[in-house]
Amino acid sequence: MKSLTAQAFLFDLNGTMIDDMEFHTRAWYDILNNDLGARLSWDDLKQEMYGKNHELLVRVFGPDRFTLAEMDHLSIEKEKRYQKEFFPKLQLIKGLPEFLEGAKKGGKAMAIGSAAIPFNIDFVVDNLDIRHYFGAIVSAADVAESKPHPETFTQAAARLGVPPQQCIVFEDAPKGVEAAQNACMQAIVLTTMHEAHEFAQYTNILAFIKDYTDPVLQPLLQS
């Protein structure tokens, strides 16, 4: 990793702080195919796993299939199925508890910037008791445009009072890395859901890591 001083760390949530994207994909696969008849393959669905729940439904079915109320209902139902299956396995990715504590002791500002709805974010941060680490949490409810639009991350930086160029984003998805690049932020990629070659078009990636025990992260805590 090139030498870089960062004042703040911005974390995507699903697939970045917890390794749960397979469970989200399973829940959507069940609803989209078994309930709604979309006939999507697993690989096709993986390509749709970004942005707000409502946006995913529109991408798959078009803008006229559901009312807003119906999409709200499907969004909550999807999260309920995901939470029921994932809860027994809910834990932070290896090394992240120590990284969060080290960042806090080092005076780093931290925020969560996620396309998840508050219902899902609360499920994670409250069950894991990590809310106190974060000076800001930006959810799908807080932005007009989701990733790859930069608003999620620029809003998080603004709430922390840190310039975008002084933020490092932790992400697991290409569209999230694109959002960071659009926000003029560097990114570190967790390879929980996607492989490195899927990020070849982006120029803002500092490192690819499997988890937060990677020694490449230590200089960030010391800068």
Side-chain angles (χ1 to χ4, degrees), residues 47-107:
Q47 300 307 310
E48 302 297 341
M49 295 296 293
Y50 67 92
K52 300 178 181 181
N53 288 347
H54 289 34
E55 293 170 344
L56 184 151
L57 288 166
V58 170
R59 285 196 299 271
V60 173
F61 292 104
D64 301 320
R65 171 70 182 270
F66 305 109
T67 66
L68 180 59
E70 288 171 333
M71 289 193 288
D72 287 342
H73 172 77
L74 288 167
S75 178
I76 293 294
E77 178 60 26
K78 175 262 170 180
E79 300 302 355
K80 286 180 177 178
R81 295 186 194 185
Y82 148 77
Q83 290 182 12
K84 181 179 180 180
E85 187 172 358
F86 184 65
F87 182 70
K89 297 178 172 60
L90 177 60
Q91 62 181 347
L92 293 176
I93 289 175
K94 185 178 180 181
L96 183 52
E98 295 81 5
F99 185 82
L100 292 174
E101 191 62 27
K104 181 180 179 181
K105 289 180 179 178

